[in-house]
Amino acid sequence: MDCVEEEVDFNWEEYLEETGATAAPHTSFRHVELSLQSSFQPGMKLEVANKGSLDTYWVATIITTCGQLLLLRYCGYGDDRKTDFWCDVMTAELHPVGWCAQNHKTLQPPEAIKEKYSDWTEFLVKELTGSRTAPANLLEGPLRGKNTVDLIVVGCLLEVRDAFEPTMYWAARVQRNIGGRLCLSYVGLNDPAYDMWIFYLDTRLRPLGWAKENNLSMKPPTDLCDLRSSSEWTEALDEATTEALKSPLPLEVFKDHADLPTHSFRAGMKLEMVSPVEPFHICPVSVTKVYNEYYFQITIDDLTSEATPTHVVCHAESLGIVPVQWCLKNGVGLERPQGFESQDFDWADYLKHTGAEAAPDVCFPKASLSRGFCKDMWLEAVNPLQPSELCVARITQVKGRLLWLRLEGLTKPLPDCIVDVESMNIFPVGWCEANGYPLTHLLKTVCLPQKKIAVVQPEKQLAPSQPDAPLNLCSSITTDIGLVNGKYCCSQLFINHRCFSGPYLNKGRIAELPKAVGPGKCAVVLKEILTMLINSAYKPGRVLRELQMVEDPQWNCQEETLKAKYKGKSYRSTMRIVRTADQVSDFCRRVCERLQCCQNLFGPTIVSDKCPENCFSQTKTKYTYYKKRKVGRPSLGENPQDGDMTKPARRRKKRKAIFVQKKRRTSIVGYHTAESPQDSDYYYDDEDEDFEEWGSEASSSSPREEASAPKRGRPPRRAALQRRATHPGPETSDRSSPRRTTRSVSYSQNQTAKNTNTKTESFEEEDRLVLERNPLEWSVSDVVDFITSTDCASLAKIFQEQDIDGQALLLLTLPTVQECMDLKLGPAIKLCHQIERVKVAFYSQFAN
């Protein structure tokens, strides 16, 4: 067999599921966790409008943050959290401290605490002394409400510490910002060859003007200063600084930069270090210079006389430095110094030979830190030889605080590279996708049999200008009897572009497909054609589900796995495809019927100008309307015996609402169900329903088995309502009149029972909420009570823990819920539906 490596579409979720591999936990990447935090910090002060008095303001403290939501407490309440309130940075009237004085606005405390202090001016002076105030540019203007990483915009300037001299800095301009990973170019150099990639939390980065404030030198990089004259460097710096000071980088960018601890190293000490030149091995190094209590210089040991020394500036928490004998204790090979005569390296002999001392263990406070990384976990890592490239990586070893990573997908394989667990050049799986950056992924090895059918992807074989060329699946078939002409092989199958494509398939994409596929093995040809149809669909997941329902017990079938991709997710299903040539025609016809397209769209029949089915007269509207009427659920009044009992109805999950109310009802408020989409209060997205019903990367079982299999848990709401409507009983009569309770939330559950001999009315599927009290006045416990009363009761604890009151509840949106409550899309949408009901009730009852 000829085996070649080819690129395949890579999806982390699909790959981890197929291989059973494990992703490194997101919490192991501290720098990424910090980059996702809000720019606002607990304890910051700001001025906010007074709730009880118009045109007055008061100072408030930020208690906590959740995305762009802030939990505030008016100054003067001390530790009393009863009046804490949430507000949205993007919509609330928030101002920096001092805004009222500048704009002649009244600053007065809330009425509830007005008498608590006699001199509020003295109180504010004490309260604000030594405190941090919320920056004005985060409360107003283009940077309002942005996260820390988003404050770093292309074109802004930072100061970068010299790689060889810690007392020297030079300005660098941001060329790109990828989730906090910055591409910087030195001011005065316009050549991309000298650009560097560095994470924004790196201690080498400082705000513009920092070097001058700390009496440090502002000089061009040591290794690049000869590329320009001194006057050119100075002129470029002055010009860039003048421009940058017009819109300086907010200092909040550096809020998470920790101060460096002092070190205990002395000149002449020896230690081990991951090679800074080729990070594939660990080598002996020496401390050759101590700059100050924070920085020292390390030189790679090289005993050859003509060697050019390699220096690195380090500090107490520099990555990749470990004590002497670390490699021996951890079973890791240590690279011998160049020029060392003995083949067996021994630290005791080496120290005696050089007359040096080993750096004591107290110099390495975090030598055993592992941060939760384990062998065979997967992540994304920077290629050390090409810093702009990020690769799929697997951890092959974990020793103390060092990881050995195998980078996948490289055209020229590298040895396992060694990184520190706190390296800012490693990222969790999905980081590149989340930040829109290309990821170098795995190459898949494909073995091509020489004497069997070679399936070729059409887009790779055909030029774009030849969509009608036939796809031959027998390019490497020999003349073996029975391989082509046997009962398991079929002749060409035609794709008739002019035929009606139905409601599921995109006519334009169909037109781009090859005119014919085959000849070849029946299963191979049909699988190829079905894959093309799936990729030509408006919603591939829906077509995948429909195709799974095409089956006949009399067919001679084999199972094949079909895949679909939609909105970045992959879906798969096992389908039974006929194996014999005499059943191909019937199979094609059944597929076309299932997809509601012309039965000649594909199959052994070629259509030249006019289809014998006269399908040109069909329209999408007609088929779509027919489809909705055909697959729609029966109303409550329909008798199941009237339908076809041979095909059990498929149980479907509750549809996801997009929370767009189409019309307002004026009938009796209560529980209702809808017969068709036109009768529903909400518009639903079918594709979301399809995907929720399937689940990502799961091979669904037979629809009929799924329908007949009993499901555990709470009975479906629709079924319960149907029983109440058709069999009135005590429960129905109890709900026939509004019932008030001591709780702040109540539901109007009126239901009118009709004569059971007549057809039951259609009821609204969702009950309209009737509130006894304005949700703006709800306390945290009121919100918890409401959530507990819904089908999201399991999430009530989150509302309690995060102190979400009525005002905060009304501010919640789907992105906020997902981010702050760490919920998956399904539960988040379900919860947002309940929140939307409260909003609708609020606007209808209390907004005016």
Side-chain angles (χ1 to χ4, degrees):
M1 290 188 178
D2 295 330
C3 294
V4 297
E5 285 191 335
E6 64 176 26
E7 277 199 31
V8 293
D9 291 336
F10 185 75
N11 178 282
W12 266 119
E13 185 178 359
E14 179 181 345
Y15 178 76
L16 294 176
E17 183 176 337
E18 285 181 352
T19 60
T22 304
H26 283 235
T27 52
S28 298
F29 305 87
R30 180 176 174 273
H31 60 295
V32 176
E33 294 289 297
L34 289 174
S35 70
L36 300 176
Q37 292 181 0
S38 169
S39 301
F40 294 96
Q41 296 296 299
M44 281 185 172
K45 309 286 185 182
L46 43 78
E47 293 178 0
V48 61
N50 234 328
K51 288 186 176 182
S53 179
L54 294 176
D55 296 329
T56 64
Y57 300 82
W58 190 240
V59 179
T61 305
I62 298 176
I63 304 302
T64 188
T65 65
C66 181
Q68 63 187 38
L69 300 180
L70 305 179
L71 181 64
L72 302 179
R73 181 183 302 165
Y74 286 120
C75 291
Y77 277 97
D79 295 330
D80 186 1
R81 53 189 285 186
K82 292 181 181 177
T83 57
D84 292 359
F85 59 98
W86 289 90
C87 63
D88 190 331
V89 178
M90 303 304 294
T91 58
E93 190 176 359
L94 305 175
H95 305 284
V97 172
W99 180 85
C100 286
Q102 295 174 2
N103 293 273
H104 309 293
K105 299 291 184 180
T106 305
L107 196 65
Q108 72 176 38
E111 290 293 330
I113 58 171
K114 200 170 187 179
E115 307 300 327
K116 190 173 181 179
Y117 296 95
S118 57
D119 190 345
W120 282 101
T121 303
E122 181 182 355
F123 168 81
L124 280 183
V125 170
K126 291 181 179 179
E127 186 79 7
L128 295 175
T129 301
S131 64
R132 294 181 63 192
T133 61
N137 54 1
L138 298 183
L139 296 171
E140 48 199 36
L143 301 181
R144 180 177 184 177
K146 286 192 174 182
N147 286 341
T148 305
V149 168
D150 298 327
L151 298 177
I152 308 173
V153 295
V154 173
C156 63
L157 289 190
L158 308 104
E159 289 183 0
V160 184
R161 194 190 76 227
D162 193 280
F164 305 100
E165 181 58 55
T167 59
M168 287 171 45
Y169 283 78
W170 190 248
R173 180 175 283 106
V174 177
Q175 300 295 342
R176 297 183 70 182
N177 177 5
I178 309 298
R181 191 163 187 262
L182 309 178
C183 178
L184 303 178
S185 62
Y186 284 113
V187 167
L189 286 180
N190 297 322
D191 189 348
Y194 300 106
D195 289 356
M196 59 180 172
W197 287 88
I198 188 168
F199 204 75
Y200 84 102
L201 292 172
D202 196 295
T203 54
R204 291 182 62 194
L205 299 181
R206 298 293 179 180
L208 194 63
W210 191 87
K212 184 177 181 181
E213 291 177 5
N214 290 271
N215 299 317
L216 299 173
S217 303
M218 197 69 174
K219 295 180 179 179
T222 304
D223 54 334
L224 302 176
C225 61
D226 294 336
L227 297 176
R228 298 283 186 275
S229 66
S230 177
S231 59
E232 288 176 331
W233 285 112
T234 305
E235 183 181 348
L237 178 63
D238 293 341
E239 182 180 338
T241 304
T242 303
E243 185 67 26
L245 290 176
K246 296 178 182 178
S247 54
L249 185 66
L251 294 179
E252 284 67 38
V253 169
F254 303 92
K255 65 182 175 61
D256 295 313
H257 279 228
D259 294 332
L260 291 178
T262 57
H263 68 81
S264 306
F265 291 94
R266 297 190 304 273
M269 285 183 173
K270 289 195 178 291
L271 58 151
E272 298 174 359
M273 182 183 188
V274 177
S275 172
V277 180
E278 295 180 339
F280 311 119
H281 55 261
I282 301 174
C283 54
V285 296
S286 303
V287 178
T288 52
K289 187 177 182 180
V290 175
Y291 296 100
N292 50 41
E293 67 271 29
Y294 300 112
Y295 295 102
F296 56 95
Q297 178 182 271
I298 278 182
T299 303
I300 298 178
D301 285 5
D302 191 332
L303 305 182
T304 57
S305 56
E306 67 279 359
T308 302
T310 302
H311 304 300
V312 182
V313 174
C314 294
H315 50 82
E317 294 184 345
S318 285
L319 307 181
I321 57 174
V322 290
V324 162
Q325 303 284 9
W326 185 91
C327 285
L328 181 64
K329 293 175 183 177
N330 288 274
V332 177
L334 181 67
E335 191 83 0
R336 287 187 308 111
Q338 293 289 328
F340 188 70
E341 296 178 356
S342 175
Q343 293 297 320
D344 298 323
F345 180 83
D346 180 77
W347 264 113
D349 294 340
Y350 184 62
L351 292 174
K352 184 178 180 180
H353 174 74
T354 56
E357 64 172 323
D361 290 348
V362 293
C363 295
F364 310 89
K366 299 180 180 178
S368 60
L369 185 69
S370 66
R371 284 212 169 272
F373 290 103
C374 297
K375 182 182 177 181
D376 290 329
M377 283 184 173
W378 291 77
L379 45 85
E380 298 173 5
V382 174
N383 181 350
L385 303 185
Q386 185 67 38
S388 62
E389 181 181 28
L390 272 88
C391 307
V392 168
R394 177 173 64 88
I395 301 175
T396 57
Q397 286 189 80
V398 180
K399 301 290 184 181
R401 59 177 299 135
L402 296 184
L403 309 175
W404 274 253
L405 302 180
R406 181 160 299 163
L407 304 183
E408 305 285 356
L410 299 177
T411 52
K412 185 178 180 181
L414 295 176
D416 290 358
C417 60
I418 308 172
V419 299
D420 195 279
V421 293
E422 292 193 333
S423 169
M424 297 184 194
N425 285 330
I426 56 176
F427 302 91
V429 298
W431 186 86
C432 282
E433 182 181 2
N435 290 281
Y437 195 76
L439 175 68
T440 300
H441 50 74
L442 302 115
L443 294 174
K444 184 177 180 181
T445 301
V446 179
C447 293
L448 303 175
Q450 296 178 350
K451 294 189 177 182
K452 293 185 179 180
I453 299 169
V455 180
V456 183
Q457 291 294 336
E459 59 269 24
K460 293 182 180 178
Q461 178 173 332
L462 302 175
S465 60
Q466 297 175 329
D468 292 337
L471 178 59
N472 186 0
L473 298 182
C474 296
S475 56
S476 61
I477 295 179
T478 66
T479 57
D480 292 350
I481 298 176
L483 191 58
V484 174
N485 298 323
K487 70 174 184 177
Y488 296 109
C489 292
C490 65
S491 57
Q492 279 191 333
L493 295 183
F494 301 96
I495 301 177
N496 298 305
H497 304 155
R498 295 175 178 269
C499 287
F500 178 66
S501 57
Y504 298 124
L505 304 179
N506 185 313
K507 185 78 172 176
R509 294 175 190 165
I510 292 288
E512 295 174 359
L513 299 181
K515 190 173 182 181
V517 179
K521 273 190 176 181
C522 298
V524 175
V525 174
L526 287 172
K527 181 180 178 180
E528 186 67 25
I529 267 195
L530 293 177
T531 301
M532 292 179 186
L533 294 179
I534 291 169
N535 293 328
S536 301
Y538 294 107
K539 299 175 181 178
R542 181 59 183 270
V543 170
L544 197 58
R545 191 184 72 176
E546 294 293 335
L547 290 178
Q548 192 191 21
M549 302 179 74
V550 178
E551 58 181 337
D552 191 317
Q554 297 180 354
W555 284 345
N556 181 1
C557 297
Q558 72 180 54
E559 290 190 349
E560 294 286 348
T561 300
L562 300 179
K563 297 181 181 180
K565 284 195 173 183
Y566 187 74
K567 295 182 179 179
K569 290 188 177 181
S570 298
Y571 300 84
R572 58 176 54 204
S573 173
T574 301
M575 180 181 178
R576 296 176 61 80
I577 298 178
V578 297
R579 301 173 59 206
T580 57
D582 59 327
Q583 296 174 344
V584 168
S585 179
D586 185 43
F587 179 83
C588 294
R589 182 182 56 80
R590 295 280 287 275
V591 169
C592 291
E593 287 178 358
R594 191 71 210 176
L595 297 182
Q596 301 174 32
C597 59
C598 175
Q599 64 181 12
N600 291 326
L601 179 66
F602 81 96
T605 304
I606 184 171
V607 174
S608 53
D609 292 329
K610 189 173 182 181
C611 175
E613 297 294 324
N614 195 27
C615 64
F616 301 98
S617 61
Q618 306 294 355
T619 64
K620 295 274 184 186
T621 307
K622 173 181 175 181
Y623 269 74
T624 304
Y625 175 76
Y626 166 74
K627 183 195 78 165
K628 288 184 178 179
R629 300 298 297 177
K630 182 177 180 181
V631 303
R633 299 187 180 98
S635 64
L636 295 183
E638 292 179 7
N639 192 339
Q641 281 78 9
D642 296 339
D644 183 4
M645 294 302 293
T646 61
K647 293 185 179 180
R650 187 176 182 184
R651 177 174 294 176
R652 303 174 73 177
K653 290 191 178 181
K654 182 178 177 182
R655 293 185 171 189
K656 297 181 182 178
I658 304 186
F659 311 125
V660 180
Q661 194 164 10
K662 294 176 70 175
K663 59 183 178 180
R664 180 169 295 175
R665 298 280 182 173
T666 56
S667 58
I668 297 176
V669 178
Y671 289 105
H672 300 279
T673 57
E675 179 180 3
S676 66
Q678 288 82 355
D679 298 327
S680 174
D681 272 354
Y682 294 92
Y683 165 76
Y684 296 92
D685 184 357
D686 278 339
E687 187 64 22
D688 284 345
E689 173 199 351
D690 295 338
F691 285 2
E692 180 70 19
E693 191 170 340
W694 271 54
S696 177
E697 282 298 307
S699 297
S700 302
S701 59
S702 168
R704 290 172 174 79
E705 292 172 2
E706 189 177 304
S708 60
K711 296 192 177 181
R712 298 179 182 177
R714 183 168 55 87
R717 188 178 191 181
R718 178 182 296 277
L721 295 176
Q722 184 168 348
R723 288 195 296 272
R724 292 176 194 148
T726 56
H727 306 287
E731 185 179 354
T732 306
S733 59
D734 286 344
R735 290 179 177 268
S736 60
S737 60
R739 179 173 57 185
R740 288 190 173 271
T741 67
T742 56
R743 291 169 53 182
S744 61
V745 185
S746 70
Y747 309 94
S748 180
Q749 299 172 333
N750 298 335
Q751 191 172 359
T752 305
K754 298 295 182 180
N755 191 331
T756 55
N757 295 326
T758 61
K759 186 174 181 179
T760 309
E761 282 189 7
S762 292
F763 296 95
E764 290 181 9
E765 183 172 326
E766 294 295 333
D767 52 329
R768 180 185 297 171
L769 198 59
V770 176
L771 304 177
E772 294 181 351
R773 199 152 62 89
N774 192 330
L776 290 175
E777 301 171 0
W778 286 4
S779 64
V780 175
S781 60
D782 291 333
V783 173
V784 172
D785 287 344
F786 167 72
I787 298 298
T788 305
S789 68
T790 68
D791 54 359
C792 299
S794 60
L795 305 178
K797 185 179 179 181
I798 300 178
F799 287 79
Q800 183 73 54
E801 292 173 347
Q802 299 195 15
D803 292 331
I804 297 177
D805 57 13
Q807 295 182 41
L809 183 73
L810 294 178
L811 289 171
L812 292 178
T813 61
L814 181 58
T816 307
V817 165
Q818 282 186 275
E819 178 183 353
C820 301
M821 297 187 178
D822 196 22
L823 296 179
K824 292 185 178 179
L825 183 60
I829 290 179
K830 197 174 181 182
L831 176 60
C832 283
H833 177 53
Q834 299 298 338
I835 296 172
E836 199 69 17
R837 294 173 60 220
V838 176
K839 291 180 182 180
V840 172
F842 166 73
Y843 286 119
S844 62
Q845 292 180 240
F846 302 102
N848 296 326

